[in-house]
Amino acid sequence: MHRIDEDMWSDVIDLRDFYETSLGQTARRMIRRQIRAIWPDSRDMRVLGLGFATPYLRPFREETERVIALMPSSQGVLPWPPEGPSLVGLADETELPLPDRSIDRVLLVHALESTEQVRASLREIWRVLADSGRLLVVAPNRRGIWARLERTPFGQGRPYTPSQLTRLLRDNMYTPLQTTTALYMPPFRSRFVLRSAPAWEQIGVRWFPSFAGVLLVEAAKQIYAGSAFHEPAGKRRAYLPMPQGLRKIGPI
């Protein structure tokens, strides 16, 4: 297992500050466009965001049965949304305070590249996913320029190639369904670059797909793999205190 140096982590304040910049807002729009292309309809579903997924969850609030976000203790937590009850909690990424098969969609952002417990985290996601559930991983692309520059969160942690990411998912009881990309514009704050971001995306997807800033891989839960993962006898699942918005989650 590769170790992540402590100074390579992005804490919750760094992540929030990035998404408040013009560069972060543009990156969010480009990535969110691809997320919605993969999941165009989430009506009556239960959606969970893991890592720092809140910049991408707002569109789902308008149509889903329930949206919640959990952030790892190593990163920290900030309340979300700014209006109404908080829908965010702090949790151990390998001990999610959710029942088995309780979530229809899991969006993993700013998480897989930073965790030291990749396999344990993916298998815990497998546990909470419904049998027909889907996982969508957003991770830095090893070949992209964003992964080479530390000025953004996508330059932190461990980037992946498409084959590495799909192999990792297969090894942890998922079936990769589709892979797409986003963030072809260079990570510069130039007004010209930011205004031309949609054009960069169109050109990149067509001519330079290997050099995207991020990879998006959707995967399905392998039902037949359930027997490969059992919780040891006598193990007690630990729960962390959740904000008021999560205390009522119960058996969903």
Side-chain angles (χ1 to χ4, degrees), residues 105-118:
R105 296 287 185 269
V106 175
L107 178 62
L108 196 62
V109 187
H110 298 304
L112 197 62
E113 64 269 25
S114 298
T115 181
E116 293 185 2
Q117 305 183 78
V118 174

Side-chain angles (χ1 to χ4, degrees), residues 5-19:
D5 293 334
E6 189 172 334
D7 60 1
M8 294 177 68
W9 292 72
S10 291
D11 68 25
V12 70
I13 303 301
D14 295 331
L15 291 161
R16 180 203 62 187
D17 291 348
F18 169 72
Y19 281 106

Side-chain angles (χ1 to χ4, degrees), residues 6 60 67 77 103 114 142 154 171 174 202 208 242 244:
E6 189 172 334
F60 295 107
V67 174
V77 65
I103 299 295
S114 298
R142 183 179 294 276
F154 299 103
D171 289 346
Y174 296 90
Q202 292 177 2
F208 308 103
M242 295 291 105
Q244 183 177 0

Side-chain angles (χ1 to χ4, degrees), residues 151-239:
R151 66 184 64 168
T152 80
F154 299 103
Q156 309 295 319
R158 181 193 307 108
Y160 291 87
T161 65
S163 60
Q164 288 173 335
L165 198 49
T166 55
R167 188 181 312 116
L168 178 65
L169 291 168
R170 288 194 185 100
D171 289 346
N172 288 277
M173 306 184 297
Y174 296 90
T175 300
L177 301 176
Q178 60 177 310
T179 299
T180 188
T181 54
L183 283 192
Y184 288 91
M185 66 176 190
F188 304 144
R189 303 181 189 276
S190 160
R191 291 184 179 180
F192 170 77
V193 170
L194 298 177
R195 285 199 303 265
S196 59
W200 283 95
E201 297 297 297
Q202 292 177 2
I203 295 171
V205 167
R206 182 168 183 177
W207 298 107
F208 308 103
S210 298
F211 298 100
V214 299
L215 305 171
L216 297 91
V217 181
E218 183 192 28
K221 177 178 180 177
Q222 287 183 5
I223 305 302
Y224 62 84
S227 60
F229 177 57
H230 294 287
E231 188 169 321
K235 179 181 177 182
R236 298 184 62 186
R237 187 166 298 281
Y239 294 89

Side-chain angles (χ1 to χ4, degrees), residues 13-38:
I13 303 301
D14 295 331
L15 291 161
R16 180 203 62 187
D17 291 348
F18 169 72
Y19 281 106
E20 288 180 351
T21 67
S22 55
L23 178 62
Q25 292 169 10
T26 303
R28 178 180 58 193
R29 286 196 299 271
M30 299 302 103
I31 296 172
R32 191 162 60 188
R33 180 182 301 175
Q34 294 301 325
I35 292 173
R36 292 299 280 172
I38 296 172

